[in-house]
């Protein structure tokens, strides 16, 4: 008892000392203000994807009482969409918002941190990143690029995409020119298709002019905003390639280190808040957008045939196995995701999945 009491007293005293030094430190630090730039891969204020970084900047500004103000730039305003990674790495901008799988040219394993085909859903991705060791691996991967990543939003399970060709068998994927980045794109290539990566802002015209035959983007809420129903015949599900994609907020390492501890904590907390907020928004808005696509615009919504799904799943496993062979870090990431997914599948089988079934009956 006595030892416990003394230990507690010591902790309290240490706590007070810490507090005293913190407040004297913050007096000087509170004079200091920071003005940051945040570049994104999305059109300025694009619903959800583009409004999330604005929401992040607003929260940071409010929480820091204006000590850290962040100006958000849409794709092409300061740098083109696909130069966000380099711009933040080199310090042209302090922060960026986009998706890790746009950077597979920098490191193949970035694909793991957006979405793995037939992998984790949004809930599971968040669990893996924040409580399953995922974020530490992501930071290790980005370290050589001078970047610190944070989860920066999730769209939930996506749609397989918009197609101007019916998909009745794997034969229909042969020669299909589809915009599909990351590991999903590797699977389409392996299936005999041609995968293309291009920013969202270019997709409508590319579909309209036949530069591509198909595109995945997000789901009803975002796809309606781009008007893909005007340039595509079929809307296929499920989003086998992106079951729970996580977006990223990346911060230049020196810029983050230059902030006082309280502002660093604000950046972290605002990122965490925006990450959840986006998923909440998509959960609500995808439902209403789907109704509008079907009832107002008469969109032909179709399920990919079961045998096509099975074959894509087989090819995905091959792609993942090869990726794990790339290097030692890729192997550790692959093993971490695989172990997490095994346990999540087992438990979610008797919780989430069992509940969805039960709700239908
Ligand atoms: Ca997508």
């Amino acid at each position: 008892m006595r030892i416990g009491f003394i230990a507690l007293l010591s902790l309290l005293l240490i706590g007070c000392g810490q507090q005293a030094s913190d407040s004297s430190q913050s007096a000087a630090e509170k004079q200091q203000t920071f003005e940051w730039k945040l570049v994104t891969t999305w059109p300025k204020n694009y619903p959800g994807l583009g409004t999330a970084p604005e929401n992040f900047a607003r929260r940071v500004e409010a929480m820091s009482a204006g000590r850290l103000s962040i100006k958000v730039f849409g794709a092409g305003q300061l740098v083109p969409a696909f130069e966000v990674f380099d711009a933040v790495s080199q310090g042209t901008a302090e922060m960026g918002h986009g998706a890790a799988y746009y950077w597979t040219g920098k490191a193949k394993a970035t694909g793991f941190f957006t979405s793995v085909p037939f992998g984790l859903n949004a809930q599971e991705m968040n669990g893996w990143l924040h409580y399953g060791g995922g974020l530490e691996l992501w930071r290790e991967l980005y370290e050589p690029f001078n970047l610190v990543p944070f989860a920066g939003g999730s769209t939930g399970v996506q749609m397989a995409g918009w197609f101007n060709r019916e998909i009745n068998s794997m034969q229909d994927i042969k020669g299909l020119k589809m915009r599909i980045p990351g590991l999903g794109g590797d699977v389409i290539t392996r299936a005999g298709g041609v995968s293309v990566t291009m920013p969202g802002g270019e997709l409508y015209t590319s579909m309209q002019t036949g530069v591509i035959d198909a595109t995945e983007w997000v789901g009803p809420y975002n796809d309606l905003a781009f008007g893909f129903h005007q340039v595509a015949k079929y809307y296929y599900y499920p989003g086998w390639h992106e079951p729970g994609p996580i977006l990223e907020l990346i911060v230049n390492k020196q810029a983050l280190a230059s902030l006082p501890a309280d502002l660093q904590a604000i950046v972290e907390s605002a990122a965490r808040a925006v990450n959840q907020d986006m998923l909440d928004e998509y959960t609500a808005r995808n439902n209403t957008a789907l109704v509008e696509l079907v009832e107002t615009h008469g969109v032909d919504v179709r399920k990919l045939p079961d045998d096509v799904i099975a074959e894509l799943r087989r090819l995905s496993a091959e792609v993942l196995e090869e990726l794990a062979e790339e290097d030692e870090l890729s192997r550790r990431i692959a093993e971490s995701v695989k172990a997490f997914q095994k346990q999540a599948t087992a438990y979610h089988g008797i919780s989430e999945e069992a509940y969805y079934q039960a709700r239908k009956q």
Side-chain angles (χ1 to χ4, degrees), residues 101 158 179 216-218 241-242:
Y101 70 1
Q158 299 200 350
R179 183 271 185 186
E216 72 82 47
W217 178 232
V218 181
H241 63 304
E242 293 188 22

Side-chain angles (χ1 to χ4, degrees), residues 105 131 180 227 238 280 288 318 320 346:
Y131 288 94
I180 173 167
D280 300 347
T288 45
E318 283 182 12
L320 287 175

Side-chain angles (χ1 to χ4, degrees), residues 86-274:
D86 283 342
V88 182
S89 173
Q90 291 155 10
T92 310
E94 288 80 5
M95 289 194 76
H97 190 254
Y101 70 1
Y102 291 150
W103 324 123
T104 49
K106 306 283 179 193
K108 259 294 200 187
T110 56
F112 282 116
F113 298 98
T114 305
S115 211
V116 170
F118 299 96
L120 306 176
N121 68 13
Q123 206 175 338
E124 295 162 348
M125 271 301 278
N126 276 314
W128 175 60
L129 286 173
H130 299 118
Y131 288 94
L135 189 60
E136 288 78 3
L137 289 165
W138 196 0
R139 294 204 165 154
E140 191 177 340
L141 181 68
Y142 275 25
E143 221 280 327
F145 300 101
N146 203 32
L147 294 169
V148 182
F150 294 85
S154 176
T155 64
V157 182
Q158 299 200 350
M159 292 289 283
W162 296 86
F163 291 71
N164 275 326
R165 190 192 280 189
E166 271 186 85
I167 304 296
N168 296 317
S169 72
M170 287 303 287
Q171 220 29 55
D172 298 317
I173 292 178
K174 300 246 181 305
L176 180 84
K177 203 162 177 201
M178 178 168 184
R179 183 271 185 186
I180 173 167
L183 299 171
D186 294 344
V187 175
I188 288 296
T189 303
R190 189 164 292 232
V194 182
S195 70
V196 187
T197 298
M198 55 172 84
E202 295 173 20
L203 300 180
Y204 183 94
T205 309
S206 301
M207 282 295 281
Q208 193 176 34
T209 55
V211 169
I212 48 175
D213 308 309
T215 183
E216 72 82 47
W217 178 232
V218 181
Y221 172 43
N222 278 159
D223 297 359
L224 176 66
F226 266 154
F228 291 138
H229 54 281
Q230 295 156 3
V231 290
K233 290 186 187 145
Y234 313 108
Y235 196 22
Y236 275 99
Y237 70 93
W240 57 274
H241 63 304
E242 293 188 22
I246 282 281
L247 302 171
E248 65 175 13
L249 270 164
I250 47 176
V251 193
N252 177 279
K253 205 174 149 193
Q254 285 78 36
L256 186 62
S258 75
L259 295 178
D262 64 333
L263 292 185
Q264 289 190 30
I266 285 172
V267 166
E268 185 173 7
S269 303
R272 198 65 190 271
V274 164

